Amino acid sequence: MPVRAEHDRGVLARLLGRDPVLHAYQLGDLDDFFWPYTSWFRRGEQVVLLYHGVDLPTLLAFAAPADTGALAVLLAEVAPVLPARLYAHLSPGLTDALSGSFRLASGGRHHRMALTDPARLGEVAPAGVVLGAADLPQVRELYARAYPGNWFDERMLQTGQYLGVRDGGALVAVAGVHVFSPVYRVAALGNVTTHPLWRGRGLGASVVAALCVRLRETVEHVTLNVKADNVAAVRLYERVGFTRVADYDEWTLTALAAAAG
């Protein structure tokens, strides 16, 4: 069965919706907000996404262990049409499918976590106000100070799913989303940080809890990605009801021809 470009959102939603937590980011990218920045490839029941809405295009390829082999076949067939340089989020066991075409530099193991125990949100005092476009300068300033190098799509402030905590008018903690789609009932938290001078006071847990309460009004699955070695962040998310549901690895891919040149 040959690989094909897939343009039917209904087909993609059906395939990805079989495991909405594992594929939450891809399901979210079916939303009108993200769809124009996506390219999709399918081989039978397997799907990969190339997202163009960032400086370095990002490949998303996730599979349950039983489906890794079939997804690897699709990746190997897609490899010749991928950009010469890109980032990739891959389930374990998929790198061999790309190693013949790309040099891979590891970005580390990550956990996919999901909000599985929302009752624990009530154990934290939620805090935060909705941030919008007018708050962008302060959001940028906080990220530059507390979370340099993070991936922040400024358009996401338009979703109304960024919350912040202030002290005397200054933004000292924020939690937002990388993906938010009421249509496909998924959200993925992202860009969570607290000003270094305010850490250790529980603000991170409070603003994450407030955002999760807000998200659950319109979506069914609340997920996030976190580096496996970020113990403090993992503990924060566990505190408010998240559990680890899958692992994946992040990679920077450079085409072998480009690397040689």
Side-chain angles (χ1 to χ4, degrees):
M1 183 176 296
V3 63
R4 54 172 288 182
E6 183 58 69
H7 306 289
D8 189 325
R9 276 191 271 192
V11 170
L12 292 167
R14 176 182 63 81
L15 294 172
L16 299 169
R18 295 176 302 174
D19 192 338
V21 170
L22 182 64
H23 299 299
Y25 281 73
Q26 291 151 299
L27 280 167
D29 286 340
L30 294 175
D31 196 274
D32 288 345
F33 194 86
F34 302 101
W35 178 256
Y37 304 95
T38 63
S39 297
W40 300 85
F41 303 94
R42 178 169 73 90
R43 189 180 195 276
E45 301 290 288
Q46 304 305 313
V47 174
V48 298
L49 161 65
L50 184 64
Y51 183 70
H52 308 276
V54 286
D55 290 339
L56 198 61
T58 300
L59 181 73
L60 302 183
F62 301 118
D67 296 325
T68 300
L71 185 56
V73 173
L74 170 55
L75 279 177
E77 294 179 346
V78 167
V81 301
L82 293 175
R85 185 170 170 82
L86 68 157
Y87 206 62
H89 297 186
L90 307 175
S91 289
L94 292 175
T95 52
D96 285 351
L98 296 168
S99 60
S101 302
F102 292 91
R103 183 181 66 193
L104 287 79
S106 176
R109 175 60 53 96
H110 288 66
H111 299 324
R112 170 67 49 80
M113 303 185 77
L115 183 61
T116 58
D117 189 6
R120 300 199 64 180
L121 296 172
E123 299 174 10
V124 178
V129 297
V130 177
L131 303 176
D135 300 297
L136 181 56
Q138 281 196 321
V139 172
R140 286 175 175 160
E141 182 180 353
L142 179 59
Y143 286 145
R145 178 70 175 86
Y147 197 179
N150 69 317
W151 181 74
F152 171 51
D153 183 345
E154 297 177 357
R155 299 183 311 138
M156 295 305 291
L157 283 175
Q158 301 171 24
T159 66
Q161 304 300 328
Y162 269 71
L163 300 186
V165 176
R166 299 185 183 279
D167 176 65
L171 191 64
V172 296
V174 66
V177 290
H178 284 155
V179 164
F180 170 65
S181 176
V183 173
Y184 296 100
R185 307 291 290 171
V186 294
L189 270 62
N191 295 309
V192 177
T193 196
T194 301
H195 192 287
L197 296 179
W198 284 80
R199 290 173 183 167
R201 309 186 192 190
L203 292 183
S206 293
V207 72
V208 166
L211 179 57
C212 288
V213 170
R214 182 177 178 85
L215 289 169
R216 293 184 71 242
E217 296 174 358
T218 50
V219 307
E220 183 176 356
H221 302 286
V222 181
T223 69
L224 60 89
N225 294 336
V226 60
K227 288 197 73 172
D229 61 3
N230 191 344
V231 176
V234 171
R235 288 176 177 169
L236 182 157
Y237 296 129
E238 289 175 340
R239 180 183 172 194
V240 297
F242 284 82
T243 55
R244 171 184 169 189
V245 295
D247 287 346
Y248 75 95
D249 299 304
E250 296 194 1
W251 303 89
T252 300
L253 275 58
T254 304
L256 293 178

